[in-house]
Amino acid sequence: MDSTKLKRLRLFGIRLGSTLSKTLFLIVTVLFIRTLFLPDSFRFGSRNLHEFDSLNSNSGNPKTRFLEVPQIVWGLNNQKIAFARACLTARLLNRTLLMPSLSASLFYKEIDQLQPISFHKVFQFEKFNSLCKNFIQLGRYSDIHNHSDIVTIQKGSGRRWTSERDLDQLNTLKNHKSETIRLAGKNPFLWHDHWPVTDYANVFECLVLVDEISKEADKVVAKITEFGSKYNNPVPYVAVHMRIEKDWMIHCKKREQRSNISDICSNKNEITTRVTNIPGLKTPTILYLAVADALLENGSILNGWGPGLHPVEKKKLGVVDIYKKHPYLIQSAIDYEVCLRSDVFVGNSYSTFSSLVVLERSQKMLKMGVERGCGMDVRWPSFAYNLEGEFGGPRPWMTEFSDLSLQAISYGSNNISCGERKLG
Ligand SMILES: *[C@@H]1O[C@H](CO)[C@@H](O)[C@H](O)[C@H]1NC(C)=O
Ligand SMILES: *[C@@H]1O[C@H](CO)[C@@H](O)[C@H](O)[C@H]1NC(C)=O
Ligand SMILES: *[C@@H]1O[C@H](CO)[C@@H](O)[C@H](O)[C@H]1NC(C)=O
Ligand SMILES: *[C@@H]1O[C@H](CO)[C@@H](O)[C@H](O)[C@H]1NC(C)=O
Ligand SMILES: *[C@@H]1O[C@H](CO)[C@@H](O)[C@H](O)[C@H]1NC(C)=O
């Protein structure tokens, strides 16, 4: 919501003070709000949405209290999860979350290289507040009335800081009177998780990329469509999020050893075979290979795919320059969007990026009334190539919205399916 406009309206109403002007003010406000907010969109947990009416307009309300969180870091999807966790913490405390800083670069250790980037440079701030109305609201630092009325609370850490103790601490903060609570310590991705998947889904649904970034994704999708028109019109595209770069392979091999699970890593051959075997996949189709830049140098990832599957990556599509203009975070956001919009998505069930793409696609299916659905029979199908499904294909994958924590999505799982769970 446009806070300055609302402030002006409120001042106007108070100064005139008459019943007439108050009535007018109410009418104007209602009309104003009605034009701002989209028609009813399906929301998860809508039965919970009425408790927080008082949070509707945070700016200008002297009673509004705020939560400040540390800068959000790491990969795009870790940042999205961290952001959502910060939102849900603010919601628990009945506070407005001060718009946090994200990080444009992927450096983990060198704090000075994290390149803070404000939330509203990536996601639409006002859109977020209108879509998440009655659930969680974001505030600006300029909304704070008294910058001295702030308390810094250190989040606990270490082995003895259990999830229960963490929740106890948050509960004691509920009655804290300070206008602003600043939570210090670890980045929110590492905080304890106290919320069900549907709460996170509610927050993700309110994250809409700024136009500048979504237009870049439009350009990439247009290139894919143009490439496809050589074969048929229109040709669908399958997005394959291939995690096969060296760093990932080292990371996933270590994880396989540690957890004694053998199906975390997939090499290129396994991915090509499983994708080629997707039951019911219509050809011709374009395969958009979402891979790390390092792999673009080696054209071999374009080889080995089945008949009628036409692979492209950024280089072959001629879109490298679109990405190169942007820092890491934005590049990742563009690729995410291209995967999200694909006709079929195939990813790794141990990748946060893949897991969040599948979550959003599953949400789209739910909105269309599809509660469970598998494979090529549904709109927005997704698969995990690291797990074997029928006929040597990848395993169909839909997010399990009944999960009581985000564990399976933030850290990966082999216990995925499309409705009926299979034993890992
Ligand atoms: C939440 O905060 C608002 C002020 O922002 C206050 O009016 C309301 O009573 C609070 N609700 C609860 C449940 O504490
Ligand atoms: C601002 O907050 C501080 C700390 O709570 C308080 O001492 C001070 O009186 C407040 N100032 C105003 C103008 O309310
Ligand atoms: C690892 O799992 C295999 C079966 O999947 C089992 O035979 C083996 O004993 C396990 N090893 C450890 C160290 O748990
Ligand atoms: C390309 O990658 C393949 C498979 O990883 C490897 O066998 C080949 O040597 C690489 N070629 C070049 C030119 O790096
Ligand atoms: C798989 O997930 C379902 C639903 O969350 C759960 O009930 C089941 O216990 C899980 N199975 C394994 C082996 O973890």
Side-chain angles (χ1 to χ4, degrees):
M1 181 168 316
D2 186 336
S3 57
T4 45
K5 242 181 224 168
L6 198 66
K7 256 184 210 159
R8 245 183 271 132
L9 283 169
R10 185 171 285 121
L11 285 175
F12 180 71
I14 288 167
R15 203 170 53 223
L16 292 189
S18 73
T19 317
L20 178 64
S21 74
K22 273 181 188 152
T23 315
L24 275 174
F25 166 67
L26 274 176
I27 292 170
V28 169
T29 311
V30 167
L31 287 175
F32 184 58
I33 289 171
R34 275 188 49 175
T35 52
L36 271 181
F37 298 131
L38 294 177
D40 279 355
S41 67
F42 171 91
R43 301 191 54 80
F44 289 95
S46 52
R47 62 190 174 281
N48 297 329
L49 290 183
H50 304 292
E51 303 155 22
F52 285 80
D53 277 350
S54 49
L55 287 176
N56 284 357
S57 63
N58 52 54
S59 46
N61 179 352
K63 278 196 293 187
T64 302
R65 290 180 297 175
F66 301 95
L67 180 73
E68 186 186 314
V69 300
Q71 180 175 346
I72 285 173
V73 301
W74 299 343
L76 167 75
N77 292 290
N78 293 340
Q79 292 194 42
K80 276 162 94 168
I81 290 172
F83 170 78
R85 193 156 292 157
C87 283
L88 296 172
T89 304
R91 178 175 151 83
L92 180 74
L93 303 181
N94 188 24
R95 283 173 181 263
T96 293
L97 180 66
L98 288 168
M99 197 165 36
S101 271
L102 307 177
S103 304
S105 85
L106 191 53
F107 287 98
Y108 293 13
K109 307 231 165 78
E110 301 87 342
I111 298 293
D112 53 327
Q113 292 186 58
L114 281 172
Q115 296 178 29
I117 178 171
S118 180
F119 174 89
H120 75 287
K121 292 283 193 316
V122 184
F123 299 106
Q124 297 182 33
F125 172 76
E126 282 165 19
K127 186 86 174 184
F128 181 92
N129 276 348
S130 72
L131 291 173
C132 257
K133 189 170 99 84
N134 298 341
F135 192 70
I136 174 71
Q137 293 288 277
L138 290 178
R140 299 179 188 269
Y141 280 80
S142 57
D143 297 335
I144 298 176
H145 287 87
N146 182 348
H147 287 268
S148 316
D149 191 8
I150 179 167
V151 60
T152 300
I153 302 285
Q154 186 71 33
K155 270 229 159 208
S157 64
R159 274 177 194 284
R160 285 157 70 195
W161 190 257
T162 59
S163 181
E164 291 72 29
R165 284 183 70 178
D166 188 72
L167 191 59
D168 284 348
Q169 183 191 39
L170 292 180
N171 281 329
T172 60
L173 294 179
K174 271 184 185 168
N175 300 320
H176 213 291
K177 294 287 177 286
S178 295
E179 182 178 358
T180 307
I181 291 180
R182 173 186 289 149
L183 285 180
K186 286 179 183 170
N187 107 69
F189 185 83
L190 297 174
W191 293 358
H192 282 288
D193 180 13
H194 306 296
W195 297 278
V197 170
T198 47
D199 278 2
Y200 286 93
N202 266 338
V203 177
F204 296 141
E205 221 185 345
C206 306
L207 290 173
V208 180
L209 289 174
V210 295
D211 286 345
E212 191 205 352
I213 302 176
S214 66
K215 279 186 187 139
E216 300 288 61
D218 293 345
K219 286 185 208 160
V220 177
V221 173
K223 285 281 189 183
I224 295 173
T225 312
E226 187 190 317
F227 180 84
S229 64
K230 280 195 260 181
Y231 301 98
N232 209 339
N233 220 349
V235 167
Y237 79 96
V238 179
V240 188
H241 176 228
M242 293 175 75
R243 301 271 354 229
I244 52 169
E245 70 277 14
K246 245 194 212 134
D247 293 2
W248 165 264
M249 282 318 217
I250 292 169
H251 162 80
C252 77
K253 287 287 177 206
K254 273 193 200 144
R255 259 196 89 173
E256 283 192 341
Q257 282 167 6
R258 221 177 33 229
S259 55
N260 197 22
I261 292 175
S262 60
D263 45 17
I264 300 176
C265 311
S266 285
N267 59 24
K268 191 222 154 199
N269 284 345
E270 185 167 77
I271 300 172
T272 43
T273 307
R274 295 228 163 115
V275 169
T276 302
N277 290 340
I278 293 175
L281 183 64
K282 295 214 170 55
T283 55
T285 188
I286 307 304
L287 294 184
Y288 174 71
L289 308 179
V291 291
D293 285 354
L295 294 167
L296 297 179
E297 301 308 321
N298 184 336
S300 72
I301 60 160
L302 294 172
N303 306 329
W305 304 91
L309 308 180
H310 303 282
V312 290
E313 22 72 327
K314 297 183 187 87
K315 202 168 161 191
K316 191 165 168 191
L317 275 183
V319 297
V320 170
D321 287 344
I322 296 180
Y323 286 85
K324 280 273 159 64
K325 282 187 297 193
H326 299 285
Y328 156 79
L329 184 74
I330 312 294
Q331 294 188 17
S332 191
I334 299 169
D335 241 11
Y336 183 89
E337 196 64 20
V338 174
C339 289
L340 189 61
R341 297 186 201 172
S342 64
D343 297 278
V344 179
F345 174 72
V346 195
N348 185 311
S349 70
Y350 282 90
S351 147
T352 319
F353 182 105
S354 293
S355 299
L356 282 192
V357 169
V358 173
L359 181 142
E360 281 202 50
R361 293 168 67 89
S362 303
Q363 256 174 306
K364 289 205 239 184
M365 281 165 64
L366 280 185
K367 277 193 201 172
M368 290 165 47
V370 182
E371 285 193 17
R372 28 188 75 188
C374 288
M376 297 303 298
D377 299 336
V378 295
R379 185 82 182 97
W380 310 115
S382 304
F383 297 88
Y385 57 63
N386 58 312
L387 300 169
E388 192 172 359
E390 285 180 319
F391 309 111
R395 190 181 299 171
W397 182 8
M398 192 174 168
T399 298
E400 180 56 60
F401 285 106
S402 66
D403 279 351
L404 295 177
S405 85
L406 204 68
Q407 173 80 20
I409 286 164
S410 26
Y411 296 102
S413 168
N414 57 7
N415 184 16
I416 58 140
S417 72
C418 47
E420 237 73 52
R421 289 273 183 137
K422 295 199 174 93
L423 288 183

Coordinates of all heavy atoms in Angstrom, one line a residue, residues 380-416:
W380 N 1.3 -28.9 -15.3 CA 2.5 -28.6 -14.4 C 3.1 -29.8 -13.7 O 3.4 -29.8 -12.5 CB 2.0 -27.6 -13.2 CG 1.3 -26.5 -13.7 CD1 0.0 -26.1 -13.5 CD2 1.8 -25.4 -14.6 NE1 -0.3 -25.0 -14.1 CE2 0.8 -24.5 -14.8 CE3 3.1 -25.2 -15.2 CZ2 0.9 -23.4 -15.6 CZ3 3.2 -24.0 -15.9 CH2 2.2 -23.1 -16.1
P381 N 3.3 -30.9 -14.5 CA 3.9 -32.1 -13.9 C 5.4 -31.8 -13.5 O 6.1 -31.0 -14.2 CB 3.8 -33.1 -15.0 CG 3.8 -32.4 -16.3 CD 3.0 -31.1 -15.9
S382 N 5.9 -32.4 -12.5 CA 7.3 -32.3 -12.1 C 7.8 -33.7 -11.8 O 7.0 -34.6 -11.4 CB 7.5 -31.5 -10.9 OG 6.9 -30.2 -11.0
F383 N 9.1 -33.9 -11.9 CA 9.7 -35.2 -11.7 C 11.1 -35.0 -11.0 O 11.7 -33.9 -11.1 CB 10.0 -35.9 -13.0 CG 8.8 -36.3 -13.8 CD1 8.3 -35.4 -14.7 CD2 8.2 -37.5 -13.7 CE1 7.2 -35.7 -15.5 CE2 7.1 -37.9 -14.4 CZ 6.6 -36.9 -15.3
A384 N 11.5 -36.1 -10.3 CA 12.9 -36.0 -9.7 C 13.7 -37.1 -10.4 O 13.4 -38.3 -10.4 CB 12.8 -36.4 -8.2
Y385 N 14.8 -36.6 -11.1 CA 15.6 -37.5 -11.9 C 16.5 -38.4 -11.0 O 17.0 -39.4 -11.5 CB 16.4 -36.8 -13.0 CG 17.3 -35.7 -12.5 CD1 18.4 -36.0 -11.6 CD2 17.1 -34.4 -12.9 CE1 19.2 -35.0 -11.2 CE2 18.0 -33.4 -12.5 CZ 19.0 -33.6 -11.6 OH 19.8 -32.6 -11.2
N386 N 16.8 -38.0 -9.8 CA 17.6 -38.8 -8.9 C 16.9 -40.0 -8.3 O 17.6 -40.8 -7.7 CB 18.3 -37.9 -7.8 CG 17.2 -37.3 -6.9 OD1 16.2 -36.7 -7.5 ND2 17.3 -37.4 -5.6
L387 N 15.6 -40.1 -8.5 CA 14.9 -41.3 -8.0 C 14.2 -42.0 -9.2 O 13.7 -41.3 -10.1 CB 13.8 -40.8 -7.0 CG 14.4 -40.0 -5.8 CD1 13.3 -39.4 -5.0 CD2 15.2 -41.0 -4.9
E388 N 14.2 -43.3 -9.2 CA 13.7 -44.0 -10.3 C 12.2 -44.1 -10.2 O 11.6 -44.5 -9.1 CB 14.3 -45.4 -10.5 CG 14.0 -46.0 -11.8 CD 14.7 -47.3 -12.1 OE1 15.6 -47.7 -11.3 OE2 14.4 -47.8 -13.2
G389 N 11.5 -43.8 -11.3 CA 10.0 -44.1 -11.3 C 9.7 -45.2 -12.2 O 10.5 -46.2 -12.3
E390 N 8.5 -45.2 -12.8 CA 8.2 -46.4 -13.7 C 8.9 -46.3 -15.0 O 9.2 -45.3 -15.5 CB 6.7 -46.3 -13.9 CG 5.8 -46.7 -12.7 CD 4.3 -46.6 -13.0 OE1 3.9 -45.7 -13.6 OE2 3.6 -47.6 -12.6
F391 N 9.1 -47.5 -15.6 CA 9.7 -47.7 -16.9 C 11.0 -46.9 -17.1 O 11.3 -46.4 -18.1 CB 8.7 -47.2 -18.0 CG 7.3 -47.7 -17.9 CD1 6.2 -46.9 -17.5 CD2 7.1 -49.1 -18.1 CE1 5.0 -47.4 -17.3 CE2 5.8 -49.6 -18.0 CZ 4.8 -48.8 -17.6
G392 N 11.8 -46.9 -16.0 CA 13.1 -46.3 -16.1 C 13.1 -44.8 -16.2 O 14.1 -44.1 -16.5
G393 N 11.9 -44.2 -16.0 CA 11.8 -42.7 -16.0 C 12.1 -42.2 -14.6 O 12.4 -42.9 -13.7
P394 N 12.0 -40.8 -14.5 CA 12.2 -40.2 -13.2 C 10.9 -40.3 -12.3 O 9.9 -40.6 -12.9 CB 12.4 -38.7 -13.6 CG 11.7 -38.5 -14.9 CD 11.7 -39.9 -15.6
R395 N 11.0 -40.1 -11.0 CA 9.9 -40.3 -10.2 C 9.0 -39.1 -10.2 O 9.5 -38.0 -10.0 CB 10.3 -40.6 -8.8 CG 9.1 -41.0 -7.9 CD 9.4 -41.3 -6.5 NE 10.3 -42.4 -6.3 CZ 10.9 -42.8 -5.2 NH1 10.5 -42.1 -4.1 NH2 11.7 -43.8 -5.1
P396 N 7.7 -39.2 -10.4 CA 6.8 -38.1 -10.4 C 6.8 -37.4 -9.0 O 7.0 -38.1 -8.0 CB 5.4 -38.7 -10.6 CG 5.7 -40.0 -11.3 CD 7.0 -40.5 -10.7
W397 N 6.6 -36.1 -9.0 CA 6.9 -35.4 -7.7 C 5.9 -34.3 -7.6 O 5.8 -33.4 -8.4 CB 8.4 -34.8 -7.9 CG 8.9 -34.1 -6.7 CD1 8.4 -33.9 -5.5 CD2 10.2 -33.4 -6.7 NE1 9.2 -33.2 -4.7 CE2 10.3 -32.8 -5.4 CE3 11.2 -33.1 -7.6 CZ2 11.4 -32.1 -5.0 CZ3 12.3 -32.4 -7.3 CH2 12.4 -31.9 -6.0
M398 N 5.3 -34.3 -6.4 CA 4.4 -33.2 -6.0 C 4.7 -32.9 -4.6 O 4.9 -33.8 -3.8 CB 2.9 -33.6 -6.2 CG 1.9 -32.4 -6.2 SD 0.3 -33.0 -6.6 CE -0.7 -31.5 -6.1
T399 N 4.6 -31.6 -4.2 CA 5.0 -31.3 -2.8 C 3.9 -31.8 -1.8 O 2.7 -31.8 -2.1 CB 5.1 -29.7 -2.7 OG1 6.1 -29.3 -3.5 CG2 5.3 -29.3 -1.2
E400 N 4.4 -32.3 -0.7 CA 3.5 -32.8 0.3 C 3.2 -31.6 1.3 O 3.9 -31.3 2.1 CB 4.2 -33.9 1.1 CG 3.4 -34.6 2.2 CD 2.1 -35.1 1.7 OE1 2.1 -36.0 0.9 OE2 1.1 -34.6 2.2
F401 N 2.0 -31.1 1.1 CA 1.6 -29.9 1.9 C 1.2 -30.2 3.3 O 1.0 -29.3 4.1 CB 0.5 -29.1 1.1 CG 1.0 -28.4 -0.1 CD1 0.7 -28.8 -1.3 CD2 1.8 -27.2 0.1 CE1 1.2 -28.1 -2.4 CE2 2.2 -26.5 -1.0 CZ 2.0 -27.0 -2.3
S402 N 1.1 -31.5 3.6 CA 0.7 -31.8 5.0 C 1.9 -31.9 5.9 O 1.7 -32.0 7.1 CB -0.1 -33.1 5.0 OG 0.8 -34.2 4.7
D403 N 3.1 -31.7 5.4 CA 4.3 -31.8 6.2 C 4.3 -30.7 7.3 O 3.9 -29.5 7.0 CB 5.6 -31.7 5.4 CG 5.9 -33.1 4.8 OD1 5.3 -34.1 5.2 OD2 6.8 -33.1 4.0
L404 N 4.7 -31.0 8.5 CA 4.7 -30.0 9.6 C 5.9 -29.2 9.7 O 6.0 -28.3 10.5 CB 4.4 -30.7 10.9 CG 3.0 -31.4 10.9 CD1 2.8 -32.1 12.2 CD2 1.9 -30.3 10.7
S405 N 6.9 -29.5 8.8 CA 8.1 -28.6 8.8 C 8.6 -28.5 7.4 O 8.2 -29.3 6.5 CB 9.2 -29.1 9.7 OG 10.0 -30.0 9.0
L406 N 9.5 -27.6 7.1 CA 10.0 -27.4 5.8 C 11.3 -28.3 5.5 O 11.9 -28.2 4.5 CB 10.4 -26.0 5.6 CG 10.4 -25.5 4.1 CD1 9.0 -25.5 3.5 CD2 11.0 -24.1 3.9
Q407 N 11.6 -29.2 6.5 CA 12.7 -30.0 6.4 C 13.0 -30.6 5.0 O 14.0 -30.5 4.5 CB 12.6 -31.1 7.5 CG 13.7 -32.2 7.5 CD 15.0 -31.7 8.1 OE1 15.0 -30.8 8.9 NE2 16.1 -32.4 7.8
A408 N 11.9 -31.3 4.5 CA 12.1 -32.0 3.3 C 12.4 -31.1 2.1 O 13.1 -31.5 1.1 CB 10.8 -32.8 2.9
I409 N 12.0 -29.9 2.2 CA 12.2 -28.9 1.1 C 13.6 -28.2 1.3 O 14.3 -28.0 0.4 CB 11.1 -27.9 1.0 CG1 9.9 -28.7 0.4 CG2 11.4 -26.7 0.2 CD1 8.5 -28.0 0.6
S410 N 13.9 -27.8 2.5 CA 15.2 -27.1 2.7 C 16.4 -28.0 2.7 O 17.4 -27.6 2.2 CB 15.2 -26.2 3.9 OG 14.3 -26.7 4.9
Y411 N 16.2 -29.2 3.1 CA 17.4 -30.1 3.1 C 17.3 -31.3 2.1 O 18.2 -32.1 2.0 CB 17.7 -30.6 4.5 CG 18.1 -29.5 5.4 CD1 17.2 -29.0 6.3 CD2 19.3 -28.9 5.3 CE1 17.5 -27.9 7.1 CE2 19.7 -27.8 6.1 CZ 18.8 -27.3 7.0 OH 19.1 -26.2 7.8
G412 N 16.2 -31.4 1.4 CA 16.0 -32.5 0.4 C 15.5 -33.8 1.1 O 15.6 -33.9 2.3
S413 N 15.0 -34.6 0.2 CA 14.4 -35.9 0.7 C 14.3 -36.9 -0.5 O 14.3 -36.5 -1.6 CB 13.0 -35.6 1.2 OG 12.3 -36.8 1.4
N414 N 14.4 -38.2 -0.1 CA 14.1 -39.1 -1.2 C 12.7 -39.7 -1.0 O 12.2 -40.6 -1.7 CB 15.1 -40.3 -1.2 CG 15.2 -41.0 0.1 OD1 14.4 -40.7 1.1 ND2 16.2 -41.9 0.3
N415 N 12.0 -39.1 0.0 CA 10.6 -39.6 0.3 C 9.6 -38.6 -0.4 O 8.9 -37.9 0.2 CB 10.4 -39.5 1.8 CG 9.1 -40.1 2.3 OD1 8.4 -40.7 1.5 ND2 8.6 -39.8 3.5
I416 N 9.6 -38.7 -1.7 CA 8.7 -37.9 -2.5 C 7.9 -38.7 -3.4 O 8.2 -39.8 -3.7 CB 9.5 -36.9 -3.4 CG1 10.4 -37.6 -4.3 CG2 10.3 -35.9 -2.5 CD1 10.5 -37.0 -5.7

